[in-house]
Amino acid sequence: STSAVDTGLTVTYTPIDYSSNKIIVTCQGHYSQDGANSELGYYQILCTGQHTTDFALTHSSIDNYHGHNAFAISFNMQDTNLINNSGAQTYTLWAKTNNPSSTWRPHENLTMSVMEIGV
């Protein structure tokens, strides 16, 4: 899709001390993109819960039209928008492409997690 679509990968976390610690969202694994040569792929973390400030849309790949070739995805992003300690925050991975003929496909080993790091 040329609009961001939910990949089904979600993680929910309730911070212990959001004001003193860092909250890091990580994603590791593989995906493929195929169907339209040289088209761009993107991913984004959408947020619900304590806040709804989504992470920035990020370029992930260029479609090489070789069909289902695996690309690696690996990122660590800090959530700086938490507003209190009273509730959970849910992070969901969304993806999109520049061309409706290009398909962004998450693989089974794609995982997302949250870390709270004391500083």
Side-chain angles (χ1 to χ4, degrees):
S1 173
T2 56
S3 299
V5 176
D6 187 342
T7 65
L9 191 59
T10 297
V11 63
T12 300
Y13 183 75
T14 302
I16 295 168
D17 186 354
Y18 84 99
S19 61
S20 298
N21 298 336
K22 290 185 178 185
I23 308 300
I24 308 293
V25 179
T26 68
C27 186
Q28 311 282 328
H30 294 91
Y31 68 95
S32 59
Q33 186 180 336
D34 60 85
N37 199 28
S38 299
E39 294 298 328
L40 299 176
Y42 299 88
Y43 64 86
Q44 184 174 21
I45 301 294
L46 273 61
C47 301
T48 56
Q50 286 192 31
H51 70 81
T52 56
T53 306
D54 299 327
F55 288 58
L57 186 67
T58 303
H59 174 252
S60 63
S61 66
I62 297 176
D63 191 343
N64 57 14
Y65 198 62
H66 293 292
H68 304 294
N69 282 352
F71 292 101
I73 188 170
S74 177
F75 64 77
N76 300 299
M77 297 179 172
Q78 182 178 353
D79 188 347
T80 58
N81 294 298
L82 294 171
I83 53 178
N84 61 52
N85 275 343
S86 63
Q89 181 67 33
T90 298
Y91 305 97
T92 304
L93 181 67
W94 287 57
K96 73 176 212 117
T97 63
N98 272 1
N99 184 317
S101 296
S102 182
T103 306
W104 203 101
R105 305 173 193 270
H107 289 202
E108 290 179 0
N109 73 342
L110 192 59
T111 61
M112 196 163 55
S113 59
V114 176
M115 296 181 286
E116 184 166 353
I117 302 170
V119 291

